[in-house]
Amino acid sequence: MEITFSLEEIDSVAQQILSANIKNIVLFHAGMGVGKTTLIKALAKQLGVQDMTSSPTFSLVNEYETENGNILYHFDLYRLNTEEEAYDMGIDEYFYSGNLCLIEWPEKTPNLIPLDHTAITIKQLPDGKRHVVVK
């Protein structure tokens, strides 16, 4: 699936992504400031998360409850220096919990990411729109 959108359309894009039968592990690939966290916030909103969502840059993972009682984990692995740090925080337990895991900067833990995942790549276009590829 490929979508080009403006930020005003992000809620609609989040709905489309969620209806695409994504896996429980979702990787977000994009440069700094391109919109990974913004898209994750929109996904959480569509899932009925009532809490204020924010990037877990310093905590590495935030946990949210969806409107139907499911758990959503939002990871920001940017600050990790080694895969061992992720392993020590129990990242594999999150990944294999059966809950939705939305992961920013998965490049930091390439050997820990489950093979069965969805990858979302976001690119910012010159006109300010975003182009998303979901695989």
Side-chain angles (χ1 to χ4, degrees), residues 19-72:
S19 68
N21 199 24
I22 59 173
K23 305 291 184 179
N24 280 344
I25 306 296
V26 184
L27 313 180
F28 290 80
H29 299 282
M32 185 75 72
V34 173
K36 295 179 297 295
T37 300
T38 303
L39 182 54
I40 289 171
K41 286 181 181 184
L43 291 165
K45 178 181 171 185
Q46 293 304 312
L47 291 168
V49 171
Q50 298 296 315
D51 297 333
M52 178 64 101
T53 53
S54 62
S55 179
T57 303
F58 296 102
S59 62
L60 299 178
V61 62
N62 286 343
E63 178 180 322
Y64 302 107
E65 186 174 340
T66 67
E67 69 183 350
N68 58 2
N70 293 326
I71 300 297
L72 179 156

Side-chain angles (χ1 to χ4, degrees), residues 8 35 54 70 79 102 105 113-114 124-125 133-135:
E8 292 79 25
S54 62
N70 293 326
R79 291 183 53 238
L102 307 177
W105 302 102
I113 301 294
Q124 185 170 358
L125 303 176
V133 177
V134 180
K135 291 184 181 176

